[in-house]
Amino acid sequence: RKFVLDFFFEEKQNLRFDLHVWTVLCSINCVLVSSVKDFLGQMFCTLGEIIGSAGSRLERTLSGIPGKKCGTIIFSAEELSNCRDIATMQLCANKLDKKDFFGKSDPFLVFYRSNEDGTFTICHKTEVIKNNLNPVWQPFTIPVRALCNGDYDRTVKVDVYDWDRDGSHDFIGEFTTSYRELSRGQSQFNVYEVKYKNSNLISIIKKEYTVSPKLYFPEYPCALCVLGVVRLSPGNPSQPTSLHYMSPYQMNAYAMALKAVGEIIQDYDSDKLFPAYGFGAKLPPDGKISHAFPLNSNTENPNCVGIDGVLEAYFQSLRTVQLYGPTNFAPVINQVARCAAEVTDGSQYFVLLMITDGVISDMAQTKESVVNAASLPMSIIIVGVGPAEFDAMEELDGDEVRVSSRGRFAERDIVQVSCCSIST
């Protein structure tokens, strides 16, 4: 019997996990003849909920069988390191225990990587060597970050089993090592005593590794800070022709875009506090024009609680400010860049979500701001709504050609542009 966990992507990055138990009823000469797959339960969540949970550990109740308690399922997540090393190794063993009554043993190896919480996760299984107490397994290749997440000194545990047809494999023994030790290759340091009842030896007989080209992207493993920015374009929000029209029956185009995108990325934020700004308005009491003002009117604390809090602040700002052009992106990008520049310990990564219905008025300054921000822990999502032409914005999305300013190219592509036809 073995447990099988299936997962499926659904809308809005939802995941569906189905848990089954697979029971082998009959097998002949290692060929499966009959089996039964029983459904044990299912659970729905988003990837963001797993990543954003305390300690990246999420526990949820299984459901799906009416009238029955299906138990719970626990997910643990760990951010992958930037290590691109790929290791190839080959192992052999001498004088393993005889486990089969009519033969010797059918040994295979199971490699486990240790997790941050002290648990172990299977990362590789070798093939089974039939009826052999001195097996030589085939060479295998494994990414180093799958083996130890790029931490050369992290414990790697290896179990040795005798394969049984019914799946109840006999435990022969185990040993622990690390990738740093394994990387020494064939030597006296890579001979391991298999610890259980008797002493057996397993040794490395081949070890080599290659390093694929390093892809630059900064690693910021702790908190994600999502900032929402809404352009308050000219027009009267009390008029149905305005994209900011506050209808009593449905959300306007800006609110729908903010909710659709915000509900996806908010799961990746640890505290769910979002600084939210508006740009393109005259502020009370003196009508000063601003391209970066807090939607909640609190300059000391622009944070809003959740995406619903951002929406509430947005609707409130429509009642207190006078909408005014032009569409200047650079001021708010520079403001977020200043915040990102203050984070030097890798504890935060900033995502700036900008929603606009107008063509960029300060393209040259915006390109310079993007180039300057590309070396900082931040990314920018630009969502265009309404009937305006947004083709010029695609120049900021450096999928094919990096953004440049004054002969300087952005270190990486930090802008994603999405133009949607949301209307009310």
Side-chain angles (χ1 to χ4, degrees), residues 273-277 292-304 335 339 342:
L273 296 176
F274 305 122
Y277 296 88
F293 61 91
L295 290 179
N296 64 3
S297 302
N298 188 340
T299 56
E300 298 296 326
N301 183 15
N303 289 330
C304 301
Q335 180 163 327
C339 296
E342 295 176 357

Side-chain angles (χ1 to χ4, degrees), residues 356-405:
T356 181
D357 64 2
V359 178
I360 299 177
S361 305
D362 62 340
M363 178 60 83
Q365 294 89 338
T366 296
K367 290 168 65 176
E368 183 174 4
S369 298
V370 170
V371 171
N372 293 335
S375 62
L376 299 173
M378 64 177 287
S379 294
I380 303 170
I381 302 173
I382 302 175
V383 178
V385 297
E389 292 292 334
F390 299 107
D391 293 347
M393 290 188 187
E394 295 294 338
E395 188 177 352
L396 300 176
D397 193 337
D399 289 340
E400 296 181 1
V401 180
R402 290 284 174 85
V403 181
S404 64
S405 174

Side-chain angles (χ1 to χ4, degrees), residues 268-328:
Y268 296 88
D269 187 278
S270 55
D271 60 10
K272 304 298 184 287
L273 296 176
F274 305 122
Y277 296 88
F279 64 107
K282 292 182 178 180
L283 307 183
D286 55 2
K288 180 181 178 181
I289 299 173
S290 176
H291 294 285
F293 61 91
L295 290 179
N296 64 3
S297 302
N298 188 340
T299 56
E300 298 296 326
N301 183 15
N303 289 330
C304 301
V305 180
I307 294 301
D308 289 338
V310 175
L311 287 169
E312 182 181 350
Y314 160 62
F315 290 127
Q316 181 61 35
S317 70
L318 292 178
R319 302 183 182 96
T320 58
V321 305
Q322 179 184 349
L323 310 186
Y324 188 83
T327 307
N328 292 341

Side-chain angles (χ1 to χ4, degrees), residues 408-420:
R408 215 163 39 98
F409 284 85
E411 291 188 18
R412 57 190 180 94
D413 176 19
I414 66 169
V415 179
Q416 179 66 46
V417 178
S418 176
C419 301
C420 53

Side-chain angles (χ1 to χ4, degrees), residues 45 71 86 126 146 148 156 167 267 273 386 393 411:
C45 71
I86 299 175
T126 68
C148 61
V156 175
D267 286 338
L273 296 176
M393 290 188 187
E411 291 188 18

Side-chain angles (χ1 to χ4, degrees), residues 119-137:
T119 60
F120 288 90
T121 301
I122 294 177
C123 60
H124 180 75
K125 289 183 179 180
T126 68
E127 78 281 8
V128 176
I129 304 295
K130 300 289 289 183
N131 198 34
N132 197 327
L133 300 182
N134 302 291
V136 178
W137 289 278

